[in-house]
Amino acid sequence: MSERGHPALRVLRGVALTLAGFALPAGGMWLGHHTGMWGLGVTMCVLGGVFLIAGPVLHAANREARAKAGVALLALGMPLLLLSCGMLKDELAFGDLTRYGTTAVCPVVGAKAIGDEADATGATTYDYTLACPGGEIELIDDALTAPGTTKEVRYDPAGRTSAVMTGWDYYHHTQKLPVMPWVLAGLVAATALSWALAIVSARPRRQSGPGPVTRPGPP
């Protein structure tokens, strides 16, 4: 038995932390979407990453194993985890637009530029206020439209998610959703690699080399 506890207990603890590492980000994005508490949702996503790393690291029996497992997840798993959180947020939002949303042509009643400079694409982003059926809504778009004209948008009258432009803008986001299973598969693979490194590195090494030297006794 190693100094870090019984092997079976280390495995159970590591598996529990790994499962929490997947569950917390999903719960955080769901909570942020349905309550608007995105700060808490992001915190849960980051905390899930900590738990995901802690699983194989606490299972490893020596310093070398812990280092390899931690580096594998930091380099491969964390970017995929954060990407999956963002894509899950989009999927929840645009899922609501698909189920509950409606399309309307709404007059522009206000517009203001966001930021003082154009973004990397050379386009300035604008925050519009639109007078849609049921009340005013906000829309973020990079196309300049003067007040008094109209925009065709897809929006949720209950305000559960942000409005989007119909056509290319809306379908651009929905086209990203089929990529999400591949991102999750990559995250699972990175987690499995980290566990494999922790387990393989924790195995005792066989000692190699010549045996003990015996000195001849007195004549």
Side-chain angles (χ1 to χ4, degrees):
M1 187 185 301
S2 74
E3 73 281 2
R4 296 183 64 81
H6 194 281
L9 294 179
R10 292 205 314 272
V11 171
L12 290 175
R13 180 175 56 188
V15 170
L17 289 170
T18 298
L19 293 177
F22 284 102
L24 280 172
M29 293 302 100
W30 183 90
L31 183 66
H33 173 68
H34 288 281
T35 66
M37 301 170 63
W38 284 112
L40 179 58
V42 172
T43 301
M44 291 176 67
C45 185
V46 174
L47 187 61
V50 174
F51 280 22
L52 206 61
I53 295 174
V57 167
L58 290 178
H59 170 267
N62 55 55
R63 183 178 299 177
E64 178 187 5
R66 291 193 291 273
K68 289 182 178 180
V71 168
L73 272 177
L74 282 173
L76 301 175
M78 291 307 97
L80 292 173
L81 176 64
L82 296 177
L83 180 59
S84 64
C85 283
M87 297 185 75
L88 179 59
K89 176 180 179 294
D90 283 348
E91 184 166 1
L92 289 169
F94 289 98
D96 275 357
L97 284 178
T98 301
R99 293 189 298 271
Y100 313 120
T102 184
T103 301
V105 177
C106 306
V108 178
V109 297
K112 62 179 180 179
I114 301 177
D116 298 328
E117 299 180 358
D119 60 19
T121 63
T124 302
T125 302
Y126 298 92
D127 184 1
Y128 290 99
T129 302
L130 307 179
C132 290
E136 293 186 348
I137 65 169
E138 291 189 354
L139 171 72
I140 305 298
D141 191 24
D142 58 7
L144 178 59
T145 303
T149 56
T150 59
K151 280 183 175 290
E152 186 179 68
V153 296
R154 180 84 176 176
Y155 74 103
D156 179 8
R160 284 165 288 199
T161 187
S162 303
V164 295
M165 294 290 295
T166 55
W168 183 89
D169 281 342
Y170 175 68
Y171 292 107
H172 170 70
H173 286 284
T174 58
Q175 286 168 3
K176 293 192 303 184
L177 300 184
V179 181
M180 187 174 181
W182 295 99
V183 175
L184 292 176
L187 178 58
V188 171
T191 305
L193 173 62
S194 179
W195 270 96
L197 291 172
I199 294 171
V200 171
S201 299
R203 290 177 179 174
R205 297 180 177 179
R206 292 181 179 179
Q207 293 182 351
S208 60
V213 178
T214 57
R215 296 182 179 181

